[in-house]
Amino acid sequence: MGALRTVTVVVAMGTLGPGTTYRVFDDVRQKWDIRYVGLLTPGNDGIPRNTAQWAELTAWREGATIRVDQSASEYWLRITYFDIAKDHFRWKADVSTDGGKTWKADQIRIDAKRAP
């Protein structure tokens, strides 16, 4: 039987706003099962609301990349971390607003560098 490792991370800002991420690594499947709860989300008038909005994610290594599939109530993301090095990485996400039936490629892109 494989071991499960648990990590809880408090994040300042996620794709759903500030919140908390719960991560469990499954050694058998070699995947992270992740749950994120956004604690504040903007209302239609732009004023933050104290609501809990959950997202489910699964992450795994795929060659030299890391893949993350995220599903939330309003949209799904297919995220790829690539060009990963000690001082930088790149990140792109395909977006679906119809439950994964259709996807728009490379809708979100991040080029991150570690501060000196």
Side-chain angles (χ1 to χ4, degrees), residues 11-42:
V11 295
M13 184 62 71
T15 55
L16 297 176
T20 302
T21 304
Y22 302 92
R23 304 171 188 207
V24 177
F25 185 75
D26 184 329
D27 278 350
V28 174
R29 293 175 38 241
Q30 291 295 296
K31 292 186 177 184
W32 284 94
D33 285 320
I34 306 163
R35 301 298 177 268
Y36 173 85
V37 60
L39 303 177
L40 292 173
T41 56

Side-chain angles (χ1 to χ4, degrees), residues 2 9 16 18 23 25 29 33 39 49 57 66 76 80 83:
V9 179
L16 297 176
R23 304 171 188 207
F25 185 75
R29 293 175 38 241
D33 285 320
L39 303 177
R49 306 280 187 245
L57 302 90
I66 297 174
W76 291 8
T80 303
D83 190 20

Side-chain angles (χ1 to χ4, degrees), residues 85-89 111-116:
K86 191 175 182 176
D87 62 346
H88 71 273
F89 68 88
D111 291 328
K113 293 184 180 181
R114 185 179 302 274

Side-chain angles (χ1 to χ4, degrees), residues 72-91:
S73 58
E74 296 177 15
Y75 59 88
W76 291 8
L77 299 178
R78 284 190 308 210
I79 301 165
T80 303
Y81 290 83
F82 62 102
D83 190 20
I84 302 167
K86 191 175 182 176
D87 62 346
H88 71 273
F89 68 88
R90 297 173 73 197
W91 184 100

